[in-house]
Amino acid sequence: KKKIAIMTSGGDSPGMNGVVRACVRMAIHLGCDAFCVYEGYEGLVRGGDYIRKMEWHDVRGWLSEGGTLIGTARCMDFYERPGRVKAAKNMVLNGIDALIICGGDGSLTGADRFRAEWPSLLKELVDTKELTQEEIAPYAYLNIVGLVGSIDNDLSGTDATIGCYSALARICEMVDYIEATASSHSRAFVIEVMGRHCGWLALMAGVATGADFIFIPEKPREDNWRDEMCAVIQRHRKLGKRKTIVIVAEGAHDRYGNHISPEMIHKLLADKDGLALDTRITTLGHVQRGGTAVAYDRMLSTLQGVEAVRAVIEATPETETCVIAITENKIVRKPLMEAVQATKSVAKAIEAHDFDLAMSLRDTEFSD
Ligand code: ATP
């Protein structure tokens, strides 16, 4: 009987509970034992009560819950080999032969490393007499499958990460609220959204709310960005627009790598000798990450969780570690490290569509 463990790692994202629910139930449905590792890699390193067997009813009602009910953590110990040795020991002691991890690129990189090192970790445990040859014998290789849980949508090779559409929906809802007061008072709002390295949320929110101007890390601004932004906003104002919305990703910067902060933008918009707009800054912060998952994320987490369990059951020692993706509306398996590596070099948000055109459809752009 296969024993499959599921854990969530890195930053939480809406839909992670859907993944856990789907994996636990699919594992049980296929005659396996399902386990949850609480608190991400921290739980794997600590073992004991952090690793719990799950029954069908244990995940009842989880699909609509936000965050991750089995906890997540950033685990320093797992970066070091002694931490991974402990984690390997806890896996063997619990009889776990497969691990499904839902997290960001860091968590998946850690998973890949763990699998690559697995034989040497077990050898070390035998050499130090912590485990016997008989105890490790059934665990010749480590079966790992990744799922991408992240609000940033920052992994290459998948159309959407689990949680990104929930965060986007929340941002759009918040911008709608802010717009009401912006219009009423004829104000400008600078709205900071999450995204240190990936501007998908800021870009999509800009398109989806018809924002006046956006700043994203993938499009470092030229020297004249101040003039450019002010000219666009001035034009919109002259055409009678009573509200101004500027969306800025946390990691926005100019072409020299200098951070473009909401305060810098605020100063420009409010400048008495310039636009002189009554300007406020709103940092959306963690409301973007919390709350229940939208329908898309519930669907994605369930379909991908099912596929992850299938992948684990079909895996052989020769199978490359895979990550479950969605491309062109199909749930597919992809080589995990290829997807992680590509993420570092591809500005996914920019390559997919004609965003310049989409942004130029802002309501007043073509009416002058
Ligand atoms: P997010 O997208 O929310 O930042 P993430 O999964 O990328 O999620 P990280 O903090 O990078 O978040 O990674 C989560 C955990 O994964 C780390 O705390 C660490 O325990 C483990 N991990 C990350 N990278 C490695 C690595 N190179 N080797 C071993 N473990 C790693």
Side-chain angles (χ1 to χ4, degrees), residues 7 9-13 16 40-42 45 72-80 84 101-111 113-114 148-152 154 196 289:
M7 74 179 204
S9 173
D12 67 308
S13 70
M16 281 185 161
Y41 288 116
E42 192 67 39
V45 172
T72 181
R74 313 251 180 215
C75 173
M76 288 308 132
D77 285 346
F78 200 77
Y79 283 105
E80 311 296 333
R84 296 193 294 277
I101 296 160
C102 180
D105 61 339
S107 303
L108 300 182
T109 304
R113 195 170 177 189
F114 194 39
V148 202
S150 165
I151 62 161
D152 294 328
D154 55 355
R196 284 204 184 83
R289 282 244 292 258

Side-chain angles (χ1 to χ4, degrees), residues 32 57 93 105 139 157 160 174 222 227 275 285 293:
C32 306
H57 62 263
L93 288 180
D105 61 339
Y139 307 99
M174 297 302 143
E222 295 300 325
D227 295 339
L275 295 168

Side-chain angles (χ1 to χ4, degrees), residues 258-319:
N258 300 312
H259 180 217
I260 298 177
S261 67
E263 290 73 22
M264 289 162 76
I265 300 165
H266 175 276
K267 202 159 165 268
L268 281 172
L269 298 179
D271 185 0
K272 294 272 176 295
D273 301 321
L275 295 168
L277 295 172
D278 181 2
T279 307
R280 307 294 158 98
I281 295 175
T282 300
T283 302
L284 292 185
H286 284 81
V287 293
Q288 296 163 85
R289 282 244 292 258
T292 57
V294 295
Y296 183 86
D297 281 324
R298 298 180 197 197
M299 182 241 354
L300 190 64
S301 58
T302 303
L303 295 178
Q304 292 198 334
V306 163
E307 183 63 12
V309 174
R310 278 206 192 111
V312 145
I313 285 175
E314 291 166 17
T316 66
E318 288 73 41
T319 314

Side-chain angles (χ1 to χ4, degrees), residues 51-115:
I51 303 175
R52 294 182 212 160
K53 187 160 182 290
M54 304 293 280
E55 303 301 338
W56 186 275
H57 62 263
D58 288 331
V59 291
R60 187 165 291 144
W62 284 30
L63 196 50
S64 56
E65 291 274 349
T68 165
L69 290 160
I70 60 171
T72 181
R74 313 251 180 215
C75 173
M76 288 308 132
D77 285 346
F78 200 77
Y79 283 105
E80 311 296 333
R81 189 174 159 97
R84 296 193 294 277
V85 171
K86 280 189 198 152
K89 184 178 174 185
N90 287 324
M91 297 262 298
V92 172
L93 288 180
N94 283 281
I96 291 164
D97 37 30
L99 187 59
I100 296 173
I101 296 160
C102 180
D105 61 339
S107 303
L108 300 182
T109 304
D112 188 67
R113 195 170 177 189
F114 194 39
R115 187 187 178 189

Side-chain angles (χ1 to χ4, degrees), residues 133-151:
Q133 197 66 46
E134 291 69 45
E135 280 175 311
I136 66 156
Y139 307 99
Y141 78 103
L142 180 61
N143 191 347
I144 280 193
V145 169
L147 288 155
V148 202
S150 165
I151 62 161

